[in-house]
Amino acid sequence: MSPAALRLAACVRGQRAGAAAAWLWSWRSSSSSNTDGDSSNAKTEKPKTPKIYTKTGDKGFSSIFTGERRQKDDYVFEALGSTDELTSAIGLAVEFCLEQGHEFGEELYKIQCILQDVGSNIATPISSARESHLKRTTFSEKPVIELENWIDRYTEQLPPLSNFILPSGGRCSATLHLARAICRRAERSMVSIVRAGEADQNAARYLNRLSDYLFTLARYAAMKEGKNEQIYKRINQD
């Protein structure tokens, strides 16, 4: 199956992808037509191509899924930015891993889709969201359990961990470690949001399990490629 087909299949199976797209991209398109009452003489103008820039954030404010405007340094946007950075890091890892012929690309594509759902949940504060918003962005336990199953499957194939491993083991493994570190930051950025009751606990749990999954997958990739993982050794500083 081609990478494009893998991405499509994973996103189709991803939960609430439509909800994620709803807040991530709010295109405002416009079209107009003039008629004189005779449909045969109707003039149809070419639809305008929506622009990527809207200028609505030039004063340091942006909108969340509920329509509320907040300053861009708000904790919600900090968490969204970290999650977006995580998705990008996983995308980079996917490209390196596919070059080595690894077969777990579909899992990573699915994770990228589910991270959009995490973002939707973050961008929908429970205290101010309408019921219709909450129904579209609720994050269930199912993706968390799926990650745990994947972790267990890969762990069974790995040698026991007896040393502290440094990010290494080839480009695929190293970029998965990079994604893991970003994932930890994304999880930390959600702590205050969940504590305030503004996001689902399962979304934070997903990020917690995801960092474990990325660590395990990095080790698995290095093993499959026959690459050595660098072990931490205390350097004599005397």
Side-chain angles (χ1 to χ4, degrees):
M1 184 179 290
S2 68
L6 285 173
R7 187 184 298 274
L8 177 60
C11 287
V12 167
R13 287 196 291 269
Q15 295 184 335
R16 301 171 304 283
W23 74 266
L24 281 174
W25 297 106
S26 290
W27 293 113
R28 294 181 299 174
S29 60
S30 61
S31 61
S32 60
S33 60
N34 298 316
T35 62
D36 58 3
D38 184 353
S39 60
S40 62
N41 295 324
K43 297 179 180 179
T44 302
E45 295 183 1
K46 182 179 179 180
K48 295 181 179 179
T49 302
K51 296 182 178 180
I52 191 64
Y53 56 89
T54 63
K55 302 182 180 181
T56 58
D58 289 353
K59 295 183 178 180
F61 288 82
S62 191
S63 299
I64 56 179
F65 184 41
T66 60
E68 178 185 354
R69 299 283 291 177
R70 294 194 179 189
Q71 292 183 337
K72 290 188 175 182
D73 59 358
D74 187 271
Y75 60 87
V76 167
F77 292 118
E78 181 65 30
L80 289 174
S82 295
T83 305
D84 184 33
E85 185 179 350
L86 171 58
T87 304
S88 299
I90 290 175
L92 177 62
V94 167
E95 298 305 318
F96 285 135
C97 294
L98 287 179
E99 288 178 359
Q100 298 300 319
H102 291 297
E103 299 179 354
F104 47 73
E106 184 175 352
E107 292 177 5
L108 293 173
Y109 286 140
K110 185 173 184 179
I111 287 169
Q112 286 182 298
C113 290
I114 294 178
L115 284 174
Q116 305 307 310
D117 299 336
V118 172
S120 293
N121 190 262
I122 295 170
T124 312
I126 294 175
S127 64
S128 60
R130 296 193 299 271
E131 186 64 28
S132 59
H133 288 143
L134 295 176
K135 286 182 178 180
R136 296 177 64 187
T137 60
T138 298
F139 199 93
S140 74
E141 187 182 23
K142 184 177 178 181
V144 179
I145 296 174
E146 182 175 50
L147 278 180
E148 292 174 346
N149 291 334
W150 290 350
I151 293 170
D152 293 341
R153 188 179 75 238
Y154 289 121
T155 300
E156 290 174 355
Q157 303 176 59
L158 291 169
L161 187 63
S162 58
N163 295 284
F164 187 90
I165 295 174
L166 301 175
S168 55
R171 291 191 298 180
C172 173
S173 178
T175 50
L176 286 169
H177 277 296
L178 175 62
R180 170 190 56 79
I182 296 172
C183 187
R184 288 294 192 191
R185 171 154 50 84
E187 180 191 0
R188 292 193 299 271
S189 71
M190 276 203 70
V191 171
S192 60
I193 300 176
V194 173
R195 184 188 301 126
E198 295 287 41
D200 289 335
Q201 177 70 43
N202 283 325
R205 289 179 62 209
Y206 184 81
L207 293 177
N208 180 272
R209 299 301 188 279
L210 179 55
S211 62
D212 292 332
Y213 166 84
L214 292 169
F215 175 78
T216 305
L217 195 63
R219 294 192 63 212
Y220 177 80
M223 181 191 72
K224 294 294 286 186
E225 293 177 31
K227 300 289 181 62
N228 292 326
E229 295 177 293
Q230 295 298 319
I231 305 300
Y232 162 75
K233 296 179 181 179
R234 181 171 176 79
I235 305 300
N236 190 341
Q237 301 180 21
D238 296 336

